[in-house]
């Protein structure tokens, strides 16, 4: 799957990923009204509203981008109805040939990680049959439990040609509380970065990149520069651009000299673009066109520094 991601980035000339993090407050009133008229102000109604909203955005941007990153929390908050929409969104994006990076941030003891890996990236066995369940292409993984928690994901990645992005240095303000702690003189994120390099070394694809990537926030560019060197074969998924303050100029060192090696995420900045002053003229009715323009602008912005 890493090779497909690289191929699609080259085809679209867009090292970006659109984060599908729908909140009801972003959904235009006319979409909510239709959904609530049919299902009432229920979890089902909310789920229908976010599905219609997502579909509008995916229809408007799919030809411009290589990948999407649905954030499972935004769906889980609506329970089973929300998870059904998560699944519908994954399936719809795949039908548009988009690479789907599921932001699920899982990781546990080995046996439990194996179940997460099977459910999201692999196939579950039921008697003599096997089923692909959520069927995403990549998943984000929390490394806090160590190799036991990561290895089942790597095994499934090898079997199914899927991929993971391991949290190395996250974009949030308090990420340093643990991640920057010095251990034998080195910050923890550097040690995790070295482990990412190790975990991925048997998974290098034809593109030269490994199936084990890393999450490094756009909000810590100096650390991104160091981590790029520690994990030369790992793709870096870069959240924090846009709504969290990360700027394109800060991201140049997240990329390798081949112009590849990183994919920059923006969620609110794209899906709720119509709420920003810059795109307000589109209006609520044309929210998806506003998202398309925000994608065009983001691609230009990121490419201007590469
Ligand atoms: O370090 C991290 C890891 C993950 N995220 C996720 O990315 C998006 C960012 O959304 P924006 O609206 O573009 O800020 C969201 O799903 C986070 O959970 C992150 O921000 N930082």
């Amino acid at each position: 799957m890493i090779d497909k991601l690289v191929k699609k980035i080259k085809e679209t000339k867009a090292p970006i990923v659109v984060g599908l993090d729908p909140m009801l407050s972003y959904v235009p009133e006319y979409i909510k009204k239709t959904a609530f008229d049919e299902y009432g102000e229920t979890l089902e109604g909310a789920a229908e509203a976010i599905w219609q909203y997502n579909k509008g955005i995916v229809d408007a941007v799919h030809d411009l981008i290589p990948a999407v990153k649905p954030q499972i929390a935004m769906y889980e908050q609506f329970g089973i109805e929300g998870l059904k929409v998560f699944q519908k969104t994954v399936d719809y994006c795949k039908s548009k040939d988009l690479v789907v990076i599921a932001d699920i941030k899982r990781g546990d003891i080995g046996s439990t990680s194996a179940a997460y890996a099977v459910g999201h990236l692999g196939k579950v066995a039921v008697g003599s049959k096997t089923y692909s369940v959520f069927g995403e292409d990549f998943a984000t993984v929390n490394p806090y439990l160590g190799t036991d928690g990561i290895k089942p994901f790597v095994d499934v990645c090898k079997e199914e040609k899927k991929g993971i992005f391991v949290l190395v240095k996250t974009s949030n303000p308090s990420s340093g509380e643990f991640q920057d702690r010095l251990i034998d003189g080195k910050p923890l994120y550097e040690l995790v970065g070295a482990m990412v390099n190790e975990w991925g070394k048997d998974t290098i694809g034809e593109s030269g990149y490994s199936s084990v990537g890393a999450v490094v926030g756009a909000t810590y560019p100096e650390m991104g520069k160091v981590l790029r060197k520690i994990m030369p074969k790992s793709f870096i998924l870069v959240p924090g651009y846009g709504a969290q303050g990360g700027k394109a100029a800060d991201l140049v060192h997240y990329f390798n000299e081949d112009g590849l090696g990183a994919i920059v995420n923006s969620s609110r900045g794209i899906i709720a673009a119509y709420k920003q002053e810059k795109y307000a003229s589109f209006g609520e009715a044309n929210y998806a066109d506003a998202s398309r323009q925000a994608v065009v602008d983001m691609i230009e912005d990121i490419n201007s520094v590469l």
Side-chain angles (χ1 to χ4, degrees):
M1 196 49 68
I2 188 64
D3 292 336
K4 177 172 177 181
L5 181 64
V6 171
K7 183 168 164 272
K8 288 204 59 103
I9 290 173
K10 285 181 178 167
E11 280 168 7
T12 54
K13 300 188 178 58
I16 74 156
V17 49
V18 170
L20 295 173
D21 297 32
M23 293 286 283
L24 262 189
S25 58
Y26 309 155
V27 179
E29 287 305 321
Y30 74 94
I31 294 181
K32 280 193 283 209
K33 184 174 181 321
T34 309
F36 293 167
D37 283 351
E38 191 168 357
Y39 297 101
E41 290 183 351
T42 60
L43 296 175
E44 225 180 335
E48 172 63 14
I50 62 173
W51 159 242
Q52 293 301 336
Y53 172 66
N54 273 359
K55 187 169 174 302
I57 290 166
V58 173
D59 286 344
V61 305
H62 70 89
D63 58 316
L64 299 175
I65 56 171
V68 290
K69 183 178 78 64
Q71 166 55 263
I72 202 166
M74 299 305 178
Y75 305 82
E76 263 177 18
Q77 65 182 325
F78 300 110
I80 297 299
E81 297 304 329
L83 282 176
K84 284 185 196 161
V85 169
F86 177 80
Q87 180 73 79
K88 255 163 102 169
T89 301
V90 169
D91 293 346
Y92 193 64
C93 291
K94 285 174 72 176
S95 80
K96 299 280 185 195
D97 202 35
L98 290 165
V99 173
V100 177
I101 302 170
D103 201 343
I104 58 173
K105 298 190 182 70
R106 301 301 155 96
D108 208 305
I109 63 165
S111 52
T112 308
S113 264
Y116 280 136
V118 159
H120 284 279
L121 301 177
K123 294 192 188 78
V124 71
V126 183
S128 60
K129 301 197 168 153
T130 56
Y131 297 91
S132 168
V133 188
F134 284 111
E136 308 99 317
D137 300 315
F138 287 85
T140 56
V141 179
N142 187 328
Y144 200 69
L145 280 90
T147 299
D148 296 342
I150 298 290
K151 193 171 173 299
F153 280 96
V154 177
D155 290 345
V156 170
C157 286
K158 284 181 186 163
E159 279 159 28
E160 303 285 341
K161 302 208 179 332
K162 300 285 179 92
I164 55 173
F165 289 99
V166 178
L167 300 181
V168 172
K169 173 65 189 172
T170 59
S171 64
N172 52 308
S174 60
S175 70
E177 280 177 9
F178 300 130
Q179 295 165 24
D180 299 0
R181 284 289 174 113
L182 297 184
I183 297 164
D184 297 335
K186 283 203 170 137
L188 178 57
Y189 63 80
E190 285 191 21
L191 300 177
V192 177
M195 290 300 280
V196 164
N197 200 46
E198 185 65 23
W199 287 324
K201 69 179 193 307
D202 299 332
T203 71
I204 312 286
E206 284 172 7
S207 60
Y209 285 98
S210 125
S211 299
V212 181
V215 175
V216 181
T219 43
Y220 297 103
E222 287 308 315
M223 298 170 186
K225 189 174 177 181
V226 172
L227 285 163
R228 176 68 288 162
K229 294 199 173 75
I230 293 174
M231 316 171 294
K233 302 282 183 196
S234 290
F235 241 75
I236 302 180
L237 171 63
V238 189
Y241 170 87
Q244 295 177 51
K247 303 259 178 304
D250 296 335
L251 302 181
V252 62
H253 298 296
Y254 291 64
F255 290 83
N256 279 320
E257 279 174 9
D258 58 5
L260 295 165
I263 184 162
V264 183
N265 178 79
S266 179
S267 304
R268 289 166 287 183
I270 303 293
I271 67 170
Y274 78 98
K275 286 184 171 281
Q276 294 172 39
E277 211 182 316
K278 184 174 177 191
Y279 302 107
S281 61
F282 283 92
E284 205 183 58
N286 300 311
Y287 77 97
D289 295 333
S291 293
R292 185 176 173 89
Q293 188 57 51
V295 165
V296 169
D297 293 346
M298 179 176 173
I299 294 170
E300 197 187 314
D301 189 33
I302 302 291
N303 282 333
S304 73
V305 298
L306 296 184

